[in-house]
Amino acid sequence: MKIEKGQPGYIKARKMRYLLYAVVEFAMVAAVFILGYVQTKSRLNLFTVLAIIGCLPAAKMLVEFITMAPYKSIDTAIYKEIEEKAPLLTRVYDLVITSPEKVMPVDAIVISGHTVIGYASNTKTDEVTCARYLKDMLNANHHEKMTVKIFHDYKAFLSRVEGMNNIVEVGHTENGREDRAVRKLILSTCM
């Protein structure tokens, strides 16, 4: 089963995929070069040109892997706890939000109506900058009056998630289509 963007384990799966593709492509480049050298006893042949051209997609995959390497997927225990506490809310996991100024890893985001909250275990993620960027992006895409908050404190995040879930449960409000639209916009800003 393919892990989609926004699902838990996405970052880990992407890293493995990029690494595998880079290794396979560099192996193919080496094989083409060696084949040409063995056949002609010289490196001045058409196979060398093909090998050099083959380095471009292989290098692209290696760059993709290096870009994703510093980030990690959400911990399974945290994922299960969020799933348990927020069954009525829209949830998104394993995000690496890219703004023009910064790259900000966020473990989980929960969306309900006009409220978006996130949990970032990485201390390098600036809570205020990330929240401001998401809010500005949502405003620019006609989702006004959104409240966006990013937490480093997991207990505070989980407490807020439980409160949001209780509000939805008591109020029986369904904003499914708008929540999915917000989810899609947030995913569009991620690697």
Side-chain angles (χ1 to χ4, degrees):
M1 182 172 116
K2 182 178 178 187
I3 297 177
E4 303 276 326
K5 188 187 286 190
Q7 292 179 336
Y10 174 76
I11 293 174
K12 183 178 179 183
R14 287 308 265 197
K15 285 195 294 190
M16 293 303 293
R17 182 178 178 191
Y18 289 144
L19 181 61
L20 179 65
Y21 283 4
V23 168
V24 168
E25 289 180 9
F26 277 117
M28 288 174 32
V29 165
V32 168
F33 178 76
I34 291 169
L35 177 68
Y37 189 78
V38 167
Q39 285 185 347
T40 63
K41 305 290 187 246
S42 169
R43 61 181 175 84
L44 303 174
N45 58 50
L46 190 58
F47 286 106
T48 303
V49 174
L50 288 175
I52 291 169
I53 292 171
C55 284
L56 294 173
K60 181 182 184 292
M61 283 298 121
L62 185 60
V63 168
E64 295 282 351
F65 171 74
I66 291 169
T67 304
M68 292 290 278
Y71 309 110
K72 61 183 178 108
S73 289
I74 189 170
D75 184 28
T76 307
I78 292 173
Y79 157 71
K80 287 180 180 177
E81 191 169 13
I82 294 170
E83 286 290 309
E84 179 184 306
K85 303 283 183 186
L88 302 175
L89 306 175
T90 303
R91 300 163 308 278
V92 189
Y93 301 100
D94 279 1
L95 306 170
V96 181
I97 299 171
T98 54
S99 75
E101 299 88 32
K102 288 188 166 195
V103 176
M104 301 165 283
V106 177
D107 295 315
I109 287 183
V110 177
I111 305 161
S112 178
H114 290 280
T115 306
V116 176
I117 64 167
Y119 168 63
S121 63
N122 191 331
T123 56
K124 292 183 181 178
T125 301
D126 183 14
E127 300 165 312
V128 176
T129 304
C130 186
R132 188 179 328 110
Y133 173 71
L134 288 174
K135 185 171 182 149
D136 291 345
M137 184 266 309
L138 290 168
N139 280 336
N141 287 284
H142 310 294
H143 292 279
E144 290 87 13
K145 299 179 184 173
M146 298 291 288
T147 302
V148 180
K149 177 83 172 133
I150 305 296
F151 294 92
H152 279 304
D153 181 14
Y154 179 66
K155 291 187 193 291
F157 167 76
L158 200 58
S159 151
R160 189 80 173 263
V161 166
E162 286 180 288
M164 289 168 56
N165 193 63
N166 290 338
I167 289 170
V168 170
E169 190 173 21
V170 170
H172 300 291
T173 58
E174 287 286 331
N175 290 339
R177 187 162 47 160
E178 185 170 333
D179 289 353
R180 284 190 300 274
V182 170
R183 179 183 191 273
K184 187 176 179 181
L185 279 171
I186 291 172
L187 287 175
S188 72
T189 65
C190 300
M191 285 199 290

